Amino acid sequence: MSDAIYDVFLSFSGSDRKFGRALAKKLRSQKMDVFLDEDGIARSDSLTESIELALQGSKTLVAYYSANYGSRPACQHELMTAFLAAQREDTIRRRILVINPEPGTDHIHPIELADAKFALARARTATLARWIAAKTREMDGPLGPPPSFEGHLWPVWLARHVQGFLGRHRELWRLHTELHASKYPVIRERAYGSFVSVWGSPGSGKTALVVNYAWRFRDAFPGGVHWLSLARAESRLDRVQSVYCGELRRVGHDIGLDLGLVPDERLPATLARALRRSGSASLWIVDDLPPGCGPEHLDHLVLPSGTGAHTILIGHDAAFRDRLPTVQVGPLPSTEAKELLDSYRMPDDDIDRKSRLDVIHDLGGNPGALVALGEHLRNREGFSSYRTAGGELAVEGPLRDAVFEGARRVVDLMSSDELMLLTFISGADQYEFPGSVIAAAPSFATVDVAAVLLGLLSRAVATRDDTLWHLDPLVAEAAKERHRALDVKAIPQTEITDFRVEVAKALKKTSGSRKDRRTTAAEAAASRSRRIVAGISVRRRCCRRGPGCSRCTTP
């Protein structure tokens, strides 16, 4: 593409559309050709062909970076496409112009844009239009497409993670920002160097996130992307350093360095000197950190600062939370989870679409579990559907084993108190609750509930929002399965019922305008359109209308 189709591509969230129209009008009075999506095209992460062509054919992208902008997948896709295209020619700050209507900059990602000289929305629209027009006239030619995936040789197991990757813009930007934060000390006061810890439960998509970051942002690392795995260390922490050094020797050989005779204790420093001489930025990814790996192992796992090396550590827990910036990979939002499942099998009808939402909820939005289910539905086309998935998951078999594989690995490492608490929550089917309510249950009278919840938080099984705790339903079900196998004393059903009643009261007090928390425990039970079999929601086969019919559902 040699000639620009548009001078300016305006990127706004829906709530800022009025400002966008006014700015477009002023820009056109400056003789600028402007693209502004006025059609209200419904889309999630993928751009329509016309919008993609318009973006690639524009000289600049203008982002009205309000607080809502960062939560809109379509806006973030537009921004990332422009960023990656501009990164090729190192014109990010000239090609992407930011208008900031907020008082601070913490909401602006990536860090290059937060550090740039952005415009403030309080300026007059005509003034903003003149500023944008002057910047745009400095540019020759359009943005063009982002870097092509072709021509780059990656192992098949890594390259497969790139295909079908959905969303995660917030995590991708945060990862990029934290890796480069040390270059912008004015913006980021807590600069640790170029080290980031990525963590989350098995199946959450940690490796996929980092692979896609490395793939998309590889132009920022001319010294190469190097992938190291500590899987051979298994659970033996005494082997971490030797396995890591073995991986360093392998990568060193690949890039032409002879490190065979260098002792393990001198290997990182020797490699660091070679990297410093090259002067090129590189990305070092250390995957498969064994359980129990903590801050005391950091010196053996990262290359020194000042070498151009940027290091990402990938593990299942938040062991480095107090030492390094962290990026937690959690459940997929429902829109992205639906898109992921649809890539394997589209729902048959409205009832099947509703059942798809139910199974997403029951699996906690875990990408690994959703992929296992999606592959099952695709392979059993005509024999399985979303409406039958709950029943299939409730019985032992290959599908349940595949879906629960990651959750069971988490449960294997848990204490008896953690298992009991998760079993209690799964039995109550109440995954959001105040900590004080569960601490008051008689079964936990001798248990330090706060310590248990903090332990689950560090395993990425729990999250905390103000005074409320949220637990992963997939892991909770796996814990109940394990708890049942241990043949320990069952939790009294009366305690579970009392817990649900108290949670309903607490949520009603703190819900404010949130309508979904206004029901009492009895109302919530009566309104539930599913029954729980082995902890997984399933639907009864309806007499006439299919699962979910008001005549046939039971609480």
Side-chain angles (χ1 to χ4, degrees), residues 174 177-178 181-182 184-193 321-326:
R174 179 172 170 80
T177 290
E178 297 296 357
S182 59
Y184 305 93
V186 175
I187 299 294
R188 294 282 172 147
E189 294 181 4
R190 260 181 22 175
Y192 293 82
R321 184 170 49 195
D322 296 330
R323 297 291 188 91
L324 301 178
T326 61

mmCIF file of all heavy atoms in Angstrom, residues 174 177-178 181-182 184-193 321-326:
data_model
loop_
_atom_site.group_PDB
_atom_site.id
_atom_site.type_symbol
_atom_site.label_atom_id
_atom_site.label_comp_id
_atom_site.label_asym_id
_atom_site.label_seq_id
_atom_site.Cartn_x
_atom_site.Cartn_y
_atom_site.Cartn_z
ATOM 1 N N ARG A 174 -0.194 -4.794 29.711
ATOM 2 C CA ARG A 174 0.454 -4.741 31.028
ATOM 3 C C ARG A 174 1.813 -5.438 30.981
ATOM 4 O O ARG A 174 2.791 -4.944 31.556
ATOM 5 C CB ARG A 174 -0.441 -5.393 32.081
ATOM 6 C CG ARG A 174 0.191 -5.391 33.470
ATOM 7 C CD ARG A 174 -0.775 -5.868 34.535
ATOM 8 N NE ARG A 174 -0.089 -6.084 35.798
ATOM 9 C CZ ARG A 174 0.231 -5.140 36.656
ATOM 10 N NH1 ARG A 174 -0.079 -3.886 36.377
ATOM 11 N NH2 ARG A 174 0.851 -5.414 37.785
ATOM 12 N N THR A 177 4.174 -3.130 29.199
ATOM 13 C CA THR A 177 4.483 -1.963 30.030
ATOM 14 C C THR A 177 5.471 -2.320 31.142
ATOM 15 O O THR A 177 6.450 -1.596 31.375
ATOM 16 C CB THR A 177 3.190 -1.394 30.632
ATOM 17 O OG1 THR A 177 2.407 -0.801 29.582
ATOM 18 C CG2 THR A 177 3.491 -0.313 31.672
ATOM 19 N N GLU A 178 5.228 -3.436 31.838
ATOM 20 C CA GLU A 178 6.106 -3.799 32.950
ATOM 21 C C GLU A 178 7.507 -4.190 32.462
ATOM 22 O O GLU A 178 8.493 -3.923 33.140
ATOM 23 C CB GLU A 178 5.496 -4.942 33.762
ATOM 24 C CG GLU A 178 4.168 -4.602 34.437
ATOM 25 C CD GLU A 178 4.299 -3.501 35.489
ATOM 26 O OE1 GLU A 178 5.424 -3.026 35.740
ATOM 27 O OE2 GLU A 178 3.268 -3.113 36.051
ATOM 28 N N ALA A 181 9.149 -0.770 31.838
ATOM 29 C CA ALA A 181 8.908 0.296 32.814
ATOM 30 C C ALA A 181 10.187 0.987 33.256
ATOM 31 O O ALA A 181 10.180 2.190 33.558
ATOM 32 C CB ALA A 181 8.171 -0.269 34.029
ATOM 33 N N SER A 182 11.302 0.258 33.305
ATOM 34 C CA SER A 182 12.543 0.858 33.790
ATOM 35 C C SER A 182 13.054 1.970 32.885
ATOM 36 O O SER A 182 13.877 2.786 33.306
ATOM 37 C CB SER A 182 13.622 -0.217 33.939
ATOM 38 O OG SER A 182 13.868 -0.860 32.706
ATOM 39 N N TYR A 184 11.145 4.317 31.816
ATOM 40 C CA TYR A 184 10.300 5.487 32.050
ATOM 41 C C TYR A 184 10.133 5.714 33.550
ATOM 42 O O TYR A 184 9.036 5.565 34.099
ATOM 43 C CB TYR A 184 8.930 5.275 31.391
ATOM 44 C CG TYR A 184 9.030 4.955 29.919
ATOM 45 C CD1 TYR A 184 9.079 3.639 29.478
ATOM 46 C CD2 TYR A 184 9.085 5.974 28.972
ATOM 47 C CE1 TYR A 184 9.183 3.335 28.126
ATOM 48 C CE2 TYR A 184 9.178 5.676 27.618
ATOM 49 C CZ TYR A 184 9.237 4.358 27.210
ATOM 50 O OH TYR A 184 9.330 4.070 25.863
ATOM 51 N N PRO A 185 11.184 6.072 34.266
ATOM 52 C CA PRO A 185 11.105 6.202 35.729
ATOM 53 C C PRO A 185 10.160 7.301 36.185
ATOM 54 O O PRO A 185 9.658 7.252 37.307
ATOM 55 C CB PRO A 185 12.552 6.499 36.133
ATOM 56 C CG PRO A 185 13.190 7.070 34.904
ATOM 57 C CD PRO A 185 12.536 6.380 33.748
ATOM 58 N N VAL A 186 9.903 8.288 35.341
ATOM 59 C CA VAL A 186 8.989 9.364 35.735
ATOM 60 C C VAL A 186 7.561 8.855 35.776
ATOM 61 O O VAL A 186 6.761 9.222 36.645
ATOM 62 C CB VAL A 186 9.109 10.559 34.761
ATOM 63 C CG1 VAL A 186 8.073 11.629 35.089
ATOM 64 C CG2 VAL A 186 10.512 11.142 34.835
ATOM 65 N N ILE A 187 7.233 7.949 34.824
ATOM 66 C CA ILE A 187 5.883 7.399 34.759
ATOM 67 C C ILE A 187 5.695 6.305 35.802
ATOM 68 O O ILE A 187 4.684 6.220 36.479
ATOM 69 C CB ILE A 187 5.601 6.835 33.352
ATOM 70 C CG1 ILE A 187 5.703 7.952 32.308
ATOM 71 C CG2 ILE A 187 4.239 6.172 33.293
ATOM 72 C CD1 ILE A 187 4.654 9.006 32.432
ATOM 73 N N ARG A 188 6.695 5.421 35.923
ATOM 74 C CA ARG A 188 6.619 4.291 36.835
ATOM 75 C C ARG A 188 7.668 4.444 37.922
ATOM 76 O O ARG A 188 8.847 4.254 37.681
ATOM 77 C CB ARG A 188 6.856 2.984 36.075
ATOM 78 C CG ARG A 188 5.765 2.679 35.075
ATOM 79 C CD ARG A 188 4.556 2.132 35.796
ATOM 80 N NE ARG A 188 3.435 2.003 34.896
ATOM 81 C CZ ARG A 188 2.520 1.064 34.991
ATOM 82 N NH1 ARG A 188 2.598 0.187 35.957
ATOM 83 N NH2 ARG A 188 1.517 1.013 34.159
ATOM 84 N N GLU A 189 7.239 4.777 39.128
ATOM 85 C CA GLU A 189 8.195 4.966 40.212
ATOM 86 C C GLU A 189 8.803 3.637 40.653
ATOM 87 O O GLU A 189 9.946 3.582 41.057
ATOM 88 C CB GLU A 189 7.493 5.636 41.393
ATOM 89 C CG GLU A 189 7.032 7.070 41.078
ATOM 90 C CD GLU A 189 6.372 7.707 42.282
ATOM 91 O OE1 GLU A 189 6.361 7.071 43.346
ATOM 92 O OE2 GLU A 189 5.875 8.824 42.154
ATOM 93 N N ARG A 190 8.027 2.552 40.579
ATOM 94 C CA ARG A 190 8.521 1.244 40.983
ATOM 95 C C ARG A 190 9.157 0.556 39.784
ATOM 96 O O ARG A 190 8.533 -0.212 39.086
ATOM 97 C CB ARG A 190 7.369 0.387 41.501
ATOM 98 C CG ARG A 190 7.299 0.351 42.983
ATOM 99 C CD ARG A 190 6.179 -0.502 43.491
ATOM 100 N NE ARG A 190 5.699 -1.510 42.564
ATOM 101 C CZ ARG A 190 4.779 -2.398 42.897
ATOM 102 N NH1 ARG A 190 4.264 -2.383 44.084
ATOM 103 N NH2 ARG A 190 4.365 -3.289 42.028
ATOM 104 N N ALA A 191 10.396 0.863 39.518
ATOM 105 C CA ALA A 191 11.089 0.249 38.381
ATOM 106 C C ALA A 191 12.027 -0.828 38.886
ATOM 107 O O ALA A 191 12.974 -0.554 39.603
ATOM 108 C CB ALA A 191 11.858 1.317 37.598
ATOM 109 N N TYR A 192 11.737 -2.089 38.536
ATOM 110 C CA TYR A 192 12.540 -3.210 39.002
ATOM 111 C C TYR A 192 13.610 -3.624 38.007
ATOM 112 O O TYR A 192 14.409 -4.487 38.280
ATOM 113 C CB TYR A 192 11.639 -4.443 39.220
ATOM 114 C CG TYR A 192 10.643 -4.323 40.349
ATOM 115 C CD1 TYR A 192 9.438 -3.660 40.154
ATOM 116 C CD2 TYR A 192 10.885 -4.886 41.590
ATOM 117 C CE1 TYR A 192 8.505 -3.571 41.158
ATOM 118 C CE2 TYR A 192 9.943 -4.809 42.608
ATOM 119 C CZ TYR A 192 8.758 -4.138 42.386
ATOM 120 O OH TYR A 192 7.843 -4.053 43.383
ATOM 121 N N GLY A 193 13.599 -3.077 36.841
ATOM 122 C CA GLY A 193 14.377 -3.641 35.749
ATOM 123 C C GLY A 193 13.435 -4.381 34.831
ATOM 124 O O GLY A 193 12.221 -4.343 34.997
ATOM 125 N N ARG A 321 5.507 -12.089 43.871
ATOM 126 C CA ARG A 321 4.639 -10.912 43.904
ATOM 127 C C ARG A 321 5.277 -9.728 44.611
ATOM 128 O O ARG A 321 5.083 -8.579 44.202
ATOM 129 C CB ARG A 321 3.317 -11.283 44.592
ATOM 130 C CG ARG A 321 2.287 -10.170 44.612
ATOM 131 C CD ARG A 321 0.956 -10.709 45.085
ATOM 132 N NE ARG A 321 1.089 -11.501 46.300
ATOM 133 C CZ ARG A 321 0.150 -12.318 46.753
ATOM 134 N NH1 ARG A 321 -0.965 -12.458 46.096
ATOM 135 N NH2 ARG A 321 0.343 -13.002 47.877
ATOM 136 N N ASP A 322 6.054 -9.974 45.652
ATOM 137 C CA ASP A 322 6.660 -8.880 46.414
ATOM 138 C C ASP A 322 8.018 -8.458 45.866
ATOM 139 O O ASP A 322 8.616 -7.508 46.363
ATOM 140 C CB ASP A 322 6.812 -9.287 47.887
ATOM 141 C CG ASP A 322 5.469 -9.526 48.559
ATOM 142 O OD1 ASP A 322 4.494 -8.869 48.149
ATOM 143 O OD2 ASP A 322 5.409 -10.374 49.477
ATOM 144 N N ARG A 323 8.511 -9.163 44.851
ATOM 145 C CA ARG A 323 9.832 -8.863 44.313
ATOM 146 C C ARG A 323 9.799 -8.318 42.888
ATOM 147 O O ARG A 323 10.674 -7.554 42.497
ATOM 148 C CB ARG A 323 10.689 -10.140 44.325
ATOM 149 C CG ARG A 323 10.957 -10.709 45.702
ATOM 150 C CD ARG A 323 11.885 -9.817 46.509
ATOM 151 N NE ARG A 323 12.291 -10.443 47.757
ATOM 152 C CZ ARG A 323 13.378 -11.191 47.890
ATOM 153 N NH1 ARG A 323 14.159 -11.420 46.844
ATOM 154 N NH2 ARG A 323 13.694 -11.723 49.049
ATOM 155 N N LEU A 324 8.813 -8.745 42.110
ATOM 156 C CA LEU A 324 8.748 -8.379 40.695
ATOM 157 C C LEU A 324 7.358 -7.881 40.333
ATOM 158 O O LEU A 324 6.375 -8.214 41.004
ATOM 159 C CB LEU A 324 9.060 -9.600 39.812
ATOM 160 C CG LEU A 324 10.405 -10.295 39.962
ATOM 161 C CD1 LEU A 324 10.464 -11.494 39.024
ATOM 162 C CD2 LEU A 324 11.539 -9.339 39.664
ATOM 163 N N PRO A 325 7.260 -7.094 39.272
ATOM 164 C CA PRO A 325 5.923 -6.806 38.742
ATOM 165 C C PRO A 325 5.281 -8.124 38.295
ATOM 166 O O PRO A 325 5.968 -9.020 37.799
ATOM 167 C CB PRO A 325 6.201 -5.903 37.533
ATOM 168 C CG PRO A 325 7.586 -5.396 37.716
ATOM 169 C CD PRO A 325 8.321 -6.440 38.485
ATOM 170 N N THR A 326 3.991 -8.256 38.485
ATOM 171 C CA THR A 326 3.314 -9.502 38.133
ATOM 172 C C THR A 326 2.156 -9.228 37.190
ATOM 173 O O THR A 326 1.526 -8.165 37.238
ATOM 174 C CB THR A 326 2.774 -10.221 39.382
ATOM 175 O OG1 THR A 326 1.826 -9.364 40.046
ATOM 176 C CG2 THR A 326 3.894 -10.573 40.331
#
